[in-house]
Amino acid sequence: KLYEEAFACVFKHEHDRALDCLAEALDAAPKHPQALLLQACLRRRLGRFESALGDLEYCSSFCRADLRPQVLRQIALTYHSMSKAFFEIGQFQNALTAASEALTYDVSDHAMFVSRGDAYLELADFEAAVHDFRSALALNGEGQQIKGRLAKAHHCLGASFYNSGMFEAAVVELTQALQHAPETEVLYLHRGHAFMHVHAEEDAYRDFQKVAALRGEHANFGVALQAQFEPQARMAAVVGQPVRPSLSRHPIPIDRLLRKMEDIRQQCFRD
């Protein structure tokens, strides 16, 4: 009866009253698995993670085999909620640890891979973030938010390769990012500069044209890009030599590249 009353209180969002009923029920019957599961669920929702895990550990020590999947699922959800709480206050390593613990109990929930991927991203472990977001996408292939995260992870990995002078690897990662976020201007901008460093000037030119198209409200921006590339392309066609614009052999930090393109854009405004 007390368990049923507690269950009714949950639906009415009377969580404190529900916990009081469960405490009384468990005093009378300490090994009531449903009461322990409900109490753990409520404590998790209220952020009392350690108490929730204690309930679940105790329940798992005696519950029937048919209830064990429910217990394991609740343990996973508790660690996942703990991970999100750590993430919100900027404790990313703790968030990563808790999310990894959640995944030891349940690998079927895409949200848990997303949470761990977010933590990896904040800790600059971009390859691990890509792996987790891919796992999440495999479980929930229609998730647009997952695709956005995967694009960001590939973008960050591509930027790190670029800034290390690994331009071909940067092109690969930025291309992967564009598969998940095909209308993202900065990805074309950054891939265009990576293409320039591997002497793929025609590909770079197409990417910069795409940037101009996405910024289409200012036609002069596209004209400025053409002025930079087309004269060299025409000259190469005349003399029969490949296009080789003068490029720095040293990697340029990718945040500076956007500023360079903005300088061109601002010049167009002044003109």
Side-chain angles (χ1 to χ4, degrees):
K1 183 178 179 180
L2 287 167
Y3 169 76
E4 292 173 358
E5 185 179 346
F7 202 82
C9 288
V10 171
F11 280 99
K12 292 185 286 186
H13 301 286
E14 298 175 355
H15 294 157
D16 289 336
R17 175 57 184 159
L19 286 172
D20 288 341
C21 291
L22 289 168
E24 290 185 48
L26 288 167
D27 281 342
K31 291 190 175 182
H32 189 301
Q34 286 84 0
L36 283 166
L37 284 169
L38 184 57
Q39 181 171 264
C41 181
L42 282 171
R43 285 174 165 175
R44 169 173 59 83
R45 292 180 181 180
L46 294 171
R48 304 172 190 175
F49 304 124
E50 294 297 333
S51 296
L53 290 171
D55 288 338
L56 295 166
E57 183 180 3
Y58 178 57
C59 187
S60 68
S61 69
F62 64 81
C63 70
R64 302 189 313 268
D66 61 320
L67 286 177
R68 188 160 183 78
Q70 294 182 46
V71 175
L72 295 179
R73 172 65 175 166
Q74 286 299 319
I75 293 173
L77 289 172
T78 302
Y79 277 115
H80 186 209
S81 295
M82 191 185 299
S83 174
K84 291 191 288 186
F86 279 131
F87 190 92
E88 287 176 3
I89 61 174
Q91 294 187 16
F92 303 121
Q93 186 60 57
N94 286 336
L96 173 63
T97 300
S100 295
E101 195 67 24
L103 285 164
T104 65
Y105 292 94
D106 188 354
V107 293
S108 65
D109 191 335
H110 73 276
M112 295 180 186
F113 283 105
V114 168
S115 291
R116 191 171 69 173
D118 286 343
Y120 276 130
L121 205 56
E122 292 294 337
L123 294 167
D125 191 343
F126 305 128
E127 291 188 66
V130 165
H131 182 272
D132 272 358
F133 292 143
R134 282 179 177 169
S135 297
L137 195 62
L139 292 167
N140 181 18
E142 299 304 317
Q144 289 302 315
Q145 290 186 345
I146 300 174
K147 292 179 181 178
R149 283 175 162 89
L150 189 51
K152 181 179 180 180
H154 279 296
H155 187 189
C156 291
L157 186 55
S160 68
F161 284 142
Y162 184 97
N163 292 331
S164 299
M166 300 169 64
F167 303 118
E168 291 182 356
V171 167
V172 171
E173 293 301 326
L174 292 166
T175 300
Q176 289 284 330
L178 280 163
Q179 290 179 3
H180 300 291
E183 295 301 309
T184 305
E185 173 190 311
V186 70
L187 293 176
Y188 287 102
L189 177 65
H190 292 172
R191 190 177 68 171
H193 281 279
F195 272 136
M196 290 172 66
H197 279 286
V198 297
H199 306 300
E201 288 79 15
E202 290 185 7
D203 292 321
Y205 179 49
R206 281 193 291 269
D207 275 359
F208 291 142
Q209 281 186 313
K210 183 66 175 180
V211 173
L214 291 170
R215 296 183 180 182
E217 70 274 22
H218 299 294
N220 285 343
F221 183 69
V223 173
L225 288 174
Q226 292 175 23
Q228 283 195 333
F229 289 93
E230 284 190 336
Q232 295 170 348
R234 285 197 297 270
M235 182 179 297
V238 171
V239 301
Q241 295 180 353
V243 183
R244 289 289 183 270
S246 176
L247 299 173
S248 169
R249 292 189 179 275
H250 300 287
I252 304 172
I254 213 157
D255 57 342
R256 286 173 50 197
L257 296 177
L258 185 56
R259 291 200 296 271
K260 284 181 61 180
M261 300 306 294
E262 285 300 325
D263 289 343
I264 297 173
R265 193 176 187 219
Q266 292 301 322
Q267 182 63 46
C268 292
F269 294 161
R270 288 194 292 271
D271 294 343

